[in-house]
Amino acid sequence: MTVHTSDLTAAAGALQSLQAALGGRVSLDPEVRARYRSDFGRLVDRLPGAVAFCASAEEVAELVRRCRELRVPIVPRGQAHTQTGQATSEGGVVLDTAPLNRIHAIDAEALTASVDGGVVWRDLVVATTAQDLVPPVLTNNLGVTVAGTLSMAGLGVASFRYGTQADNVLELEVVTGEGEIVVCSRQRHRELFDVVRCGLGQFGIITRATLKLRRCRPRVRMFTLVYDRLDLFMADARRIMDPADRSFHSLGGICSPAPLGFRSIGEGLELGVGVQGFAHWVFPMFLSVEFAPGEEPDDAALLAGLHFHRHAHTEDTTQLDFCRRMEPMFQLWRRTGYWEHPHPWMETILPWEGSREFIESVLAQLPPGALGAGGHVLLWPSRTDCSDVPLFMHPEGEVVMGWGILGAVPREFLEEGLAKLDLASELSIYYGGKRYLSGYISFDTVERWAQHFGDRWPAVQAAKRRWDPDGILAPGFIQYE
Ligand SMILES: Cc1cc2nc3c(=O)[nH]c(=O)nc-3n(C[C@H](O)[C@H](O)[C@H](O)COP(=O)(O)OP(=O)(O)OC[C@H]3O[C@@H](n4cnc5c(N)ncnc54)[C@H](O)[C@@H]3O)c2cc1C
């Protein structure tokens, strides 16, 4: 695996000067620094030279200016759910955004929320649902920060209707790589607004955001439908995503294996050489509808004409618990130790046409045991016409298919597992897919990044020079010319 480290390293003397200037906002304590060595992926081990804690845009700006003077790299870090060390630094400064945690205002008339960049989505959702308001798009995991997902995109089960979370932000307060505080939006400094969204902390540090909200009903009915054929799942997803069909508020899915034992792939009985586990795959679809008490949905009418094999489950819940529906699974991951394993997640956004062929061919080669207990394969149909964020890279076409192998790989199988994930990643790119950048990414040359950003690459490079002229922000992940 190639994981890049920064070529911009910080001299020990520079970090001491930084600490002397900023006092308690900068920690050089080895025990504190050790907590920031890796991320959810557990694939990298990088010890930062210092950890910084800032509670306002002014404090962040001062930190960035000092880092720039001292030529010290600085990486903003939310809740570190990335998987290739996107929010780590070998020897530089990691800025922990946890102190940027204030929800400034929730405006039920304007349908907006004004929050600090380090606010965790769960806290915001608890506050908004109390007023029957909700952010239009939420990720499956609410334990992530507002700035962390805006810097990535933020995809969720309502994206087919509302785009990414980065589409649903009205204004951002950003500290640039020169240490300037700039407020940007679609109307002001749009050139910065357009690169900070999905910008992985490369062009500025988001300190505050004004987010869109929408009115919601207090209860949600959730349906679990099982498809035994991917083509039928896709045909129904396409119908549900039709803008004229407003039946469902959310749409998601997974590919679920029914293990069938082992089959021969060569000579002998050696695992992975002579035999390999295989499975029959089914495709659960998760749909939901919001409602007010007394206005329960008509299930038969809603599900009429869909081609599922089995209607497996229906459940009513509150809006808040719907938003938090994945939390029990994450709790289980923590209790079973799964959370601590290496997680090289491989997510990709595929052109609709071709996605079935790609998915079926990869599933045919994916032993169900390779996912680890708790791992799963994501299936995420969406539309593209509800997103206009320039750096959210996705294939052309009205509809796309997000797909991901979200497993935990035991360390002893890591090398082999990463090689296979690299193959799957390459194949997805061959099919016209675009990788989602929070996962396991092994792009190791400028050319690979240029290929990823396509015709936007010159603009990405120009924006880097414009907003971070000394290359101090989050160096090492994206490679520039
Ligand atoms: C269990 C799990 C479930 C997930 N589910 C989804 C999902 O449903 N949909 C989805 O889209 N993603 C999902 N992800 C991916 C996750 O949303 C992204 O990794 C997201 O970036 C995490 O936010 P964070 O606060 O942990 O950010 P971090 O991992 O800390 O940082 C992510 C990136 O943003 C940058 N960054 C952080 N803070 C700032 C800031 N203030 N200003 C500028 N840049 C900043 C970092 O430098 C880094 O490049 C999931 C991940 C996990 C582990």
Side-chain angles (χ1 to χ4, degrees):
M1 175 185 52
T2 314
V3 170
H4 290 277
T5 51
S6 160
D7 50 8
L8 182 66
T9 50
L15 293 168
Q16 272 151 12
S17 308
L18 192 68
Q19 210 247 343
L22 299 180
R25 265 184 260 156
V26 172
S27 174
L28 305 182
D29 182 335
E31 274 183 30
V32 174
R33 288 155 50 215
R35 287 185 224 134
Y36 295 82
R37 295 184 86 118
S38 197
D39 56 13
F40 178 76
R42 307 278 187 273
L43 298 173
V44 304
D45 180 15
R46 298 182 189 142
L47 183 64
V51 180
F53 304 90
C54 298
S56 68
E58 289 70 25
E59 289 184 5
V60 173
E62 188 183 2
L63 173 76
V64 172
R65 284 196 298 271
R66 299 255 180 206
C67 284
R68 191 175 176 216
E69 277 161 27
L70 296 163
R71 289 196 53 76
V72 171
I74 173 166
V75 182
R77 173 173 169 122
Q79 295 291 319
H81 283 73
T82 47
Q83 292 123 52
T84 324
Q86 289 86 332
T88 61
S89 170
E90 181 70 57
V93 175
V94 167
L95 169 65
D96 183 339
T97 62
L100 286 166
N101 61 3
R102 277 164 302 165
I103 298 175
H104 295 274
I106 294 173
D107 187 332
E109 288 302 311
L111 295 178
T112 58
S114 172
V115 298
D116 282 350
V119 163
V120 170
W121 282 99
R122 183 191 302 109
D123 296 336
L124 178 61
V125 169
V126 167
T128 62
T129 50
Q131 301 184 46
D132 286 341
L133 300 169
V134 75
V137 180
L138 290 168
T139 56
N140 285 342
N141 179 4
L142 294 189
V144 289
T145 63
V146 166
T149 62
L150 295 182
S151 300
M152 208 51 80
L155 309 175
V157 289
S159 288
F160 75 95
R161 208 174 262 188
Y162 302 108
T164 68
Q165 290 185 321
D167 286 290
N168 290 282
V169 57
L170 297 169
E171 188 176 90
L172 291 171
E173 179 188 72
V174 174
V175 174
T176 70
E178 291 179 298
E180 277 178 37
I181 302 173
V182 181
V183 175
C184 58
S185 65
R186 286 181 179 78
Q187 292 77 35
R188 293 165 75 186
H189 299 293
R190 175 138 197 177
E191 64 288 2
L192 180 61
F193 190 64
D194 277 350
V195 291
V196 171
R197 294 179 299 154
C198 306
L200 289 115
Q202 294 288 310
F203 312 97
I205 298 173
I206 299 169
T207 46
R208 192 160 161 166
T210 306
L211 305 168
K212 277 190 204 169
L213 299 176
R214 70 170 177 85
R215 292 200 172 83
C216 63
R217 296 189 192 107
R219 295 197 62 79
V220 179
R221 179 160 296 175
M222 302 187 287
F223 301 95
T224 304
L225 311 174
V226 181
Y227 287 75
D228 57 356
R229 281 174 38 191
L230 183 55
D231 57 334
L232 296 179
F233 178 107
M234 289 177 68
D236 284 356
R238 184 111 209 206
R239 192 194 107 181
I240 290 160
M241 289 192 289
D242 188 327
D245 183 333
R246 307 286 289 182
S247 313
F248 296 99
H249 288 96
S250 76
L251 162 67
I254 54 172
C255 308
S256 187
L260 298 176
F262 295 89
R263 69 179 168 198
S264 173
I265 55 166
E267 293 291 318
L269 285 177
E270 198 186 337
L271 197 59
V273 180
V275 291
Q276 190 182 58
F278 74 117
H280 171 73
W281 293 85
V282 295
F283 308 95
M285 179 186 281
F286 310 112
L287 296 170
S288 75
V289 182
E290 295 175 9
F291 64 97
E295 295 172 7
E296 279 69 12
D298 175 348
D299 295 4
L302 274 171
L303 302 180
L306 296 179
H307 300 91
F308 49 86
H309 166 67
R310 198 164 158 245
H311 175 183
H313 187 63
T314 305
E315 187 171 320
D316 290 354
T317 186
T318 63
Q319 182 68 243
L320 177 59
D321 283 353
F322 172 73
C323 297
R324 298 173 51 175
R325 68 198 176 284
M326 304 292 279
E327 292 203 339
M329 186 171 90
F330 301 138
Q331 285 165 14
L332 204 60
W333 286 3
R334 288 182 194 277
R335 279 163 68 177
T336 57
Y338 173 91
W339 199 269
E340 298 307 319
H341 292 175
H343 308 99
W345 285 7
M346 201 295 281
E347 300 102 331
T348 182
I349 303 171
L350 296 156
W352 193 259
E353 289 71 31
S355 61
R356 179 182 162 205
E357 186 178 286
F358 167 82
I359 292 169
E360 288 181 342
S361 64
V362 177
L363 292 181
Q365 298 300 321
L366 183 65
L371 295 169
H376 57 280
V377 179
L378 188 74
L379 204 49
W380 172 80
S382 196
R383 298 185 64 84
T384 58
D385 52 7
C386 32
S387 178
D388 71 351
V389 182
L391 295 192
F392 172 47
M393 303 309 297
H394 59 76
E396 297 291 317
E398 196 175 79
V399 284
V400 289
M401 178 64 92
W403 191 78
I405 304 178
L406 315 184
V409 181
R411 293 227 169 258
E412 54 274 32
F413 293 120
L414 200 49
E415 202 177 326
E416 185 188 336
L418 293 182
K420 289 197 169 148
L421 287 169
D422 278 333
L423 277 179
S425 171
E426 290 307 305
L427 188 64
S428 83
I429 293 167
Y430 174 79
Y431 270 83
K434 289 286 179 190
R435 291 294 313 280
Y436 192 54
L437 295 180
S438 64
Y440 164 56
I441 305 286
S442 59
F443 298 166
D444 55 358
T445 60
V446 174
E447 290 69 33
R448 295 307 312 270
W449 284 104
Q451 181 190 25
H452 174 78
F453 285 108
D455 60 7
R456 303 204 183 137
W457 182 235
V460 169
Q461 300 215 93
K464 186 68 177 169
R465 289 191 293 270
R466 163 77 179 81
W467 300 108
D468 180 24
D470 295 313
I472 59 164
L473 294 181
F477 182 60
I478 298 179
Q479 312 280 297
Y480 300 92
E481 271 161 23

